[in-house]
Amino acid sequence: MPFDHYGVLVGTLYRHYRDEPDDQGRWFHVNLEVDAPLGRYHCAVDVDSHKSNVGVRWKSFTVDARALGPVAGFGAGYHELDSTAFSGALDYLRHPELVDHAGVLFERRPPSWLRELLELLGSRPWEAGSNVDAAAALEAVLVPGQRVLVYGEPFTDDPEGDLGMHNVHQNQGDPVGSQWWPENGIWQDGATLARRDDGRYDVFLNRFSSQAATTDPDGHPV
């Protein structure tokens, strides 16, 4: 079933850092520490290696604040969002500012000449590369002290009671038989956004290569 809790954390970025590399098969993250009224939140953003069986893909671009709907006016703190098109929730495949009608034709990075043409058409193709490439793309939009929005699932069962956000990635389209199939759902995707000085927001989206780019009303792949 979809998440019981989904929402957006609004706060001020304190710092960010990468997981230490290891050989234990643990997934690689860029970790954000975000200050909000209840305290400092730990937000884990998946930037897993493209070499793994479920490598990550990403894209980054800029949108006007109005594209975020009511979320643009939220104060600092965690805000629960209904998984609907009007709550401020995100859906990579349905939100008018996130969907990429031309880019879905390409599962890998297109050649440079084609990228230029797609950009003229408003397309935002997915990038593919190593975990270092993905981490660098996210870090490029992060500046300590700036306002950030982190969409995903809040920690609810942390044994130490720490504040945080996880599932900061696409949360639909996982294949039949995967451990994440039951969590598929629409309008519950995670993302990382950072406010620019001009009031617009830099957006970083990330999804696993095993996740479908087309889903049914339950978020399952089609």
Side-chain angles (χ1 to χ4, degrees):
M1 59 181 295
F3 297 146
D4 290 330
H5 298 282
Y6 166 76
V8 59
L9 171 65
V10 181
T12 302
L13 180 65
Y14 172 68
R15 67 165 182 152
H16 58 85
Y17 60 93
R18 301 180 184 183
D19 284 347
E20 291 293 331
D22 63 41
D23 57 2
Q24 304 301 312
R26 288 178 290 196
W27 292 1
F28 190 78
H29 303 87
V30 171
N31 300 278
L32 282 61
E33 293 185 1
V34 179
D35 289 332
L38 290 183
R40 183 162 293 161
Y41 286 72
H42 170 226
C43 306
V45 184
D46 291 275
V47 288
D48 212 20
S49 173
H50 177 61
K51 297 178 181 178
S52 73
N53 291 332
V54 286
V56 82
R57 290 177 178 162
W58 70 93
K59 64 173 71 177
S60 55
F61 51 90
T62 304
V63 298
D64 291 333
R66 59 179 173 78
L68 307 180
V71 172
F74 286 177
Y78 171 75
H79 302 266
E80 191 83 359
L81 297 174
D82 292 333
S83 294
T84 68
F86 306 104
S87 69
L90 297 186
D91 188 310
Y92 292 6
L93 312 182
R94 293 167 178 82
H95 192 292
E97 294 289 342
L98 305 185
V99 67
D100 182 11
H101 297 291
V104 296
L105 299 174
F106 304 95
E107 284 298 299
R108 298 187 64 84
R109 182 185 176 102
S112 58
W113 66 268
L114 184 54
R115 284 177 59 81
E116 293 176 1
L117 176 58
L118 291 172
E119 287 172 0
L120 288 175
L121 296 174
S123 176
R124 296 160 175 155
W126 289 95
E127 304 278 358
S130 71
N131 57 345
V132 174
D133 295 330
L138 172 56
E139 291 165 345
V141 305
L142 298 176
V143 178
Q146 72 188 145
R147 174 182 167 96
V148 293
L149 311 177
V150 182
Y151 294 77
E153 184 182 24
F155 291 151
T156 57
D157 56 358
D158 189 289
E160 298 181 1
D162 290 340
L163 299 168
M165 300 285 286
H166 64 152
N167 284 324
V168 186
H169 50 68
Q170 179 173 310
N171 293 306
Q172 59 181 308
D174 280 297
V176 176
S178 78
Q179 69 185 86
W180 301 283
W181 164 272
E183 295 185 343
N184 280 337
I186 64 174
W187 294 103
Q188 61 167 23
D189 287 333
T192 309
L193 283 69
R195 188 180 186 278
R196 299 159 55 105
D197 290 341
D198 62 7
R200 295 184 296 163
Y201 281 83
D202 290 325
V203 180
F204 180 84
L205 307 183
N206 47 309
R207 70 176 181 90
F208 296 108
S209 58
S210 58
Q211 292 175 314
T214 306
T215 62
D216 65 19
D218 293 321
H220 296 314
V222 296

